[in-house]
Amino acid sequence: MTHAMLKGSNVPLDAMAVRAVLRWSPGTGVPVVDASALLLGHDGRVRSDEDFVFYNQPRHPSGLVRRLPKKQVGDELTDAVEANLAALDPSVDQVVLAASSDGASFHHVTDLRILLYDAAAADGEPLAVFEIRPETGEETAIICGELYRRGGGWKFRAVGQGYPTGLDGLATAFGILVDETEEAAADAAPGASEEATVAVAPDRPLPPPPALPPTQPVAQPAYGYPQPPLPSAQPPYGYPQPVSSPRPAYGYPQPAAAAAPAPDPNFRLPPMGPQFIRP
């Protein structure tokens, strides 16, 4: 008997190995749909990143949960996850069954549904069917249903909870660490990556720096005394200097260039100090 599930309803399972099949109609503008599963512990989170079964990790290390290849059934496509519930480790409390879309939101997938089969019955009728309707139309990942332990057995619940953040947002919500650095490295241009690698390669010696032309030392004049002229010396402070002969340094009386005439014997110095004229 097939149970037609409503959102939030649940049904007990007699089968201990089940196959959850997503089914939808492809077409123009319809994104690719991928099935995935998360194995959760008693705290509602994955025990490690290995508990995430999806297209890049299609098989759990235990081999008890795995993705199956996509198939075309008539005019529809299917993607499926199979789980051996009876053999799962007791630390696994739930198996979340999810769908993600690539290229557009689930608003463009008009007939998505999940069908739950007994994995031991190859051609049997589905145990349960749940028609999935996006709530906002912006969802790019949806929890379709969950398998969970109850009273020593297992049950299936129809969920239909969506995420607008895609598979990354779904995985993060259950404790998966999404490595953004790998995604950034994959998006980088190959040419830029090669160039960066060459630039920091330790086994490639750097070219020697270009040789500089030799420079001549420039002597600085000593303070307070005349200096002999140098080809690149700067003139002393405060006055332009002739090229042929250096000027004396600033601050001291210098001998005259030629002999001065004899002093006038009648020359007298004027009185010193301030002078006042009486009225």
Side-chain angles (χ1 to χ4, degrees):
M1 176 181 177
T2 300
H3 295 272
M5 308 289 292
L6 298 176
K7 186 173 181 178
S9 62
N10 61 77
V11 61
L13 298 175
D14 294 329
M16 290 294 100
V18 296
R19 183 172 64 257
V21 179
L22 293 176
R23 194 162 179 166
W24 71 98
S25 296
T28 303
V30 178
V32 175
V33 177
D34 294 297
S36 58
L38 296 107
L39 285 66
L40 308 183
H42 302 295
D43 59 353
R45 296 170 67 84
V46 296
R47 301 164 301 169
S48 72
D49 289 357
E50 293 178 337
D51 285 342
F52 189 22
V53 176
F54 66 116
Y55 48 80
N56 280 347
Q57 187 170 267
R59 188 181 184 90
H60 190 265
S62 67
L64 300 176
V65 180
R66 61 191 180 102
R67 288 184 78 246
L68 302 177
K70 279 187 171 66
K71 292 183 180 180
Q72 183 154 1
V73 180
D75 294 334
E76 296 182 317
L77 290 176
T78 67
D79 199 14
V81 173
E82 197 168 82
N84 187 346
L85 303 177
L88 281 177
D89 190 274
S91 62
V92 177
D93 197 54
Q94 302 175 54
V95 178
V96 171
L97 305 170
S100 59
S101 62
D102 183 16
S105 70
F106 277 104
H107 171 73
H108 302 278
V109 186
T110 58
D111 58 350
L112 181 66
R113 57 200 182 276
I114 185 170
L115 301 92
L116 195 68
Y117 291 87
D118 184 346
D123 299 323
E125 292 293 320
L127 304 175
V129 177
F130 175 42
E131 303 283 344
I132 302 167
R133 298 285 181 266
E135 294 180 342
T136 67
E138 301 300 320
E139 295 90 344
T140 50
I142 296 179
I143 299 176
C144 304
E146 62 180 8
L147 305 163
Y148 62 99
R149 296 182 187 270
R150 183 68 68 205
W154 287 83
K155 300 182 79 172
F156 173 73
R157 178 185 291 121
V159 179
Q161 178 182 345
Y163 292 79
T165 50
L167 196 61
D168 286 354
L170 174 67
T172 303
F174 289 102
I176 298 291
L177 299 177
V178 178
D179 192 348
E180 297 178 356
T181 58
E182 291 184 0
E183 295 178 0
D187 294 338
S193 177
E194 283 185 15
E195 183 178 349
T197 303
V198 171
V200 299
D203 55 347
R204 295 192 59 179
L206 296 177
L212 297 177
T215 57
Q216 299 295 332
V218 179
Q220 298 295 329
Y223 181 80
Y225 294 92
Q227 305 294 325
L230 293 173
S232 58
Q234 297 295 327
Y237 176 80
Y239 297 92
Q241 305 296 322
V243 177
S244 58
S245 61
R247 293 290 296 177
Y250 176 82
Y252 291 90
Q254 305 297 325
D264 185 358
N266 298 320
F267 177 77
R268 296 289 184 272
L269 290 173
M272 302 302 291
Q275 304 296 314
F276 298 94
I277 301 177
R278 293 181 183 276

